[in-house]
Amino acid sequence: MLRMSTWGVSRFIEPCLPSRTDRPPAGPDWIHEIKHDGFRIMARRDGAGVRLITRHGSDFTARFPLAAAAVAALPAHSFLIDGEAIVTNAKGLAVFDLIRHKRHGAEAVLIAFDLFELAGEDLRRLPIESRKRGLAKLARGPHPGIVLNEFFEGVGDIIFEHACRLGCEGIVSKLNDYRADRHQLDFDGATQSRS
């Protein structure tokens, strides 16, 4: 969904939110990503600079300086990345309490999982594989404040079980031809049926 923003002349693109379901999907037509526990962020860079905007439209750029600096260092003048700002514990797991009360915001990194715009071109109708290739090319190289969210192909139930064993929040599954204007499926430990 597009809506005009108060944070510059660029449009605010509201991120698609996952829909919860009881079981991960089966079949080769799905990819699966780790679901991280943080703040959903739309990272925009354009002529007005870098902005890290929450899904509710709040500007968190100053709150997450490491992530903002990493976005500013990427080799393109104009883009919009969909991601999650997280802070990890000693085990490397995202913990929302570490980021929620502004205690560790300076340590937050952006987990990047989609590329919506590049050089003024709206990419949301392209298949997810194309957008992820473009994102990987844009974010390649050492940028300490941004990390690509890897995706996995395979049986959703197995990937979900591994994510839970590692202590992750869950997984998000998307069809291989997922367009960014459609919904995705969300599986977390609170809603997953293990019977």
Side-chain angles (χ1 to χ4, degrees):
M1 174 187 298
L2 294 177
R3 80 177 174 195
M4 294 307 291
S5 169
T6 58
W7 47 277
V9 295
S10 301
R11 297 167 296 155
F12 173 64
I13 298 178
E14 191 172 321
C16 292
L17 300 178
S19 301
R20 289 184 186 227
T21 187
D22 290 336
R23 296 184 61 82
D29 296 332
W30 294 87
I31 64 169
H32 312 280
E33 301 170 330
I34 298 298
K35 187 171 187 284
H36 299 279
D37 200 3
F39 282 102
R40 185 75 174 268
I41 293 290
M42 302 298 284
R44 180 176 290 285
R45 179 177 172 193
D46 58 20
V50 170
R51 274 115 41 232
L52 305 180
I53 306 300
T54 69
R55 67 186 179 108
H56 298 294
S58 300
D59 188 338
F60 277 23
T61 310
R63 187 168 171 178
F64 304 140
L66 181 64
V71 170
L74 296 179
H77 297 292
S78 173
F79 54 83
L80 178 63
I81 295 173
D82 189 7
E84 190 92 1
I86 66 163
V87 173
T88 59
N89 63 14
K91 295 180 181 179
L93 296 173
V95 177
F96 189 67
D97 281 345
L98 294 176
I99 198 172
R100 177 174 51 180
H101 299 294
K102 301 182 183 180
R103 294 178 301 190
H104 300 278
E107 303 166 21
V109 299
L110 179 68
I111 303 297
F113 47 78
D114 211 337
L115 181 62
F116 285 177
E117 291 181 18
L118 181 61
E121 182 181 354
D122 187 345
L123 307 176
R124 290 172 300 143
R125 295 195 182 272
L126 295 177
I128 186 86
E129 298 93 345
S130 297
R131 297 193 315 271
K132 283 192 173 288
R133 278 194 302 272
L135 180 60
K137 184 176 179 182
L138 178 64
R140 74 173 169 229
H143 302 286
I146 190 169
V147 178
L148 288 175
N149 198 29
E150 298 295 330
F151 67 92
F152 306 93
E153 298 173 333
V155 180
D157 283 334
I158 294 171
I159 294 167
F160 176 78
E161 288 298 326
H162 283 288
C164 288
R165 274 192 222 126
L166 291 171
C168 299
E169 186 181 20
I171 64 172
V172 175
S173 298
K174 301 172 184 176
L175 282 166
N176 285 330
D177 68 348
Y178 165 72
R179 306 313 196 254
D181 54 357
R182 299 180 187 168
H183 288 283
Q184 58 232 348
L185 300 176
D186 169 15
F187 313 95
D188 63 36
T191 60
Q192 173 65 21
S193 168
R194 295 176 187 246
S195 56

